[in-house]
Amino acid sequence: MLYRYGTDNNGKLIKKAVVYTKSEHSVSNKNIDPDALQIINRLRDAGFTAYVVGGAVRDLIVGNVPKDFDIVTDATPSKIKRIFRNSRIIGRRFRLVHVVFGTKIFEVSTFRSNAEGSVGNEFGTIEQDVMRRDFTINALYYDPLQEQIIDYVGGFQDIKKHVLKPVISLDTIFVEDPVRMLRAIKYSATTHAKMSFTLKRKIKQSAALLGQVSPSRITEELLKIINNVHASEIIKEAIDNDLFMYLQPAAASMIFDNKNIEYSFMKNLQKLDELNSTDVQARLGKKLYFIIF
């Protein structure tokens, strides 16, 4: 086990991050998309730092297959664009770069500052970037060249202990972005990470904030849940934590009024989980978006 050091406000040398080496983690570069590795290699060759970040690292550690490989770097969007001709800059406030390889799109972002909160729009350092990520299990950085995981917030051990802990203060995490409540129950189900009583209580207290989220974004999150192999577990968590009424209001009303409907609904979700887990949707060439009572 290695450490990254920095200095505090008094100039005293302190440990900033734990660095897990290849012998200490289960991540293999064989499980990382080769185009993602190519992006990181080209950024490094150009003199920048670059890492696989977030959910992909979490999935690689727990043995799931990542759907996306997000990359973070200290290169600004304009510099990333100059390195990759097959890219485009997106975003109005905080600009990101999409690097395109055929039908695959890789999101490459610049380290982001948390000076204006977790949803600020200024570039920053890796130390700032990590503190604006939602939960510790999503705040890990993987260096495929050194084959090391860089952990500033204890996320690696939280994954191993199956614990879901927020990085951002509970006073602000859901106020700044209510969709994080849906992500919390999704991570709890997909990684078997236990939420503390305090976190669950905060989600219930904050559930009404989802009413402020645009219908298009709610629909996007719902489709991600329905196409997840743990859909039934996630929806159960949503019902138990008073979130489901903001995902499917009509269905929630029917479920709350009639236990038989709830039973039928959950049974069909479990069948959908089985279909998704056997990759039927890929063989059929379509996605399964709707639940039938």
Side-chain angles (χ1 to χ4, degrees), residues 99-212:
V99 181
V100 182
F101 287 88
T103 60
K104 295 182 292 186
I105 298 176
F106 297 90
E107 185 173 284
V108 184
S109 61
T110 308
F111 292 134
R112 197 162 169 176
S113 171
N114 66 336
E116 298 178 358
S118 65
V119 291
N121 298 303
E122 299 295 327
F123 298 138
T125 64
I126 187 172
E127 289 87 358
Q128 294 172 321
D129 187 81
V130 71
M131 298 311 297
R132 51 161 295 276
R133 297 187 177 273
D134 50 10
F135 300 95
T136 61
I137 63 174
N138 293 329
L140 298 170
Y141 301 77
Y142 179 67
D143 179 349
L145 277 66
Q146 299 295 323
E147 296 184 275
Q148 295 176 338
I149 290 175
I150 297 91
D151 182 2
Y152 285 86
V153 292
F156 185 80
Q157 290 302 323
D158 287 344
I159 289 174
K160 297 298 182 181
K161 295 175 182 177
H162 300 287
V163 175
L164 187 68
K165 293 181 182 176
V167 174
I168 303 162
S169 166
L170 283 179
D171 292 333
T172 60
I173 184 171
F174 302 133
V175 174
E176 291 181 334
D177 186 358
V179 170
R180 288 174 177 149
M181 290 183 282
L182 297 177
R183 292 176 183 158
I185 62 172
K186 183 167 65 175
Y187 301 146
S188 179
T190 56
T191 66
H192 305 292
K194 185 177 180 181
M195 292 189 286
S196 68
F197 171 78
T198 304
L199 178 56
K200 281 191 173 184
R201 182 177 62 184
K202 192 65 177 181
I203 289 174
K204 283 192 173 185
Q205 291 174 343
S206 307
L209 293 174
L210 279 177
Q212 305 171 9

Side-chain angles (χ1 to χ4, degrees), residues 153-291:
V153 292
F156 185 80
Q157 290 302 323
D158 287 344
I159 289 174
K160 297 298 182 181
K161 295 175 182 177
H162 300 287
V163 175
L164 187 68
K165 293 181 182 176
V167 174
I168 303 162
S169 166
L170 283 179
D171 292 333
T172 60
I173 184 171
F174 302 133
V175 174
E176 291 181 334
D177 186 358
V179 170
R180 288 174 177 149
M181 290 183 282
L182 297 177
R183 292 176 183 158
I185 62 172
K186 183 167 65 175
Y187 301 146
S188 179
T190 56
T191 66
H192 305 292
K194 185 177 180 181
M195 292 189 286
S196 68
F197 171 78
T198 304
L199 178 56
K200 281 191 173 184
R201 182 177 62 184
K202 192 65 177 181
I203 289 174
K204 283 192 173 185
Q205 291 174 343
S206 307
L209 293 174
L210 279 177
Q212 305 171 9
V213 179
S214 68
S216 61
R217 196 171 179 210
I218 289 289
T219 301
E220 180 183 357
E221 291 299 323
L222 177 61
L223 295 184
K224 288 179 182 178
I225 292 171
I226 295 303
N227 285 284
N228 192 294
V229 296
H230 299 280
S232 61
E233 296 175 61
I234 299 169
I235 293 296
K236 184 179 184 305
E237 288 279 357
I239 293 172
D240 291 345
N241 288 282
D242 298 339
L243 301 178
F244 187 59
M245 66 186 75
Y246 300 99
L247 287 173
Q248 291 187 300
S253 178
M254 294 169 66
I255 286 171
F256 295 150
D257 287 343
N258 191 320
K259 285 295 180 182
N260 290 330
I261 289 178
E262 180 178 1
Y263 175 79
S264 175
F265 185 75
M266 296 307 298
K267 289 293 289 184
N268 279 286
L269 274 173
Q270 289 164 8
K271 290 178 182 178
L272 180 59
D273 287 348
E274 293 172 7
L275 289 174
N276 282 336
S277 65
T278 54
D279 215 16
V280 168
Q281 65 178 31
R283 296 202 300 270
L284 293 176
K286 61 184 179 181
K287 292 195 174 184
L288 304 168
Y289 284 154
F290 300 102
I291 297 298

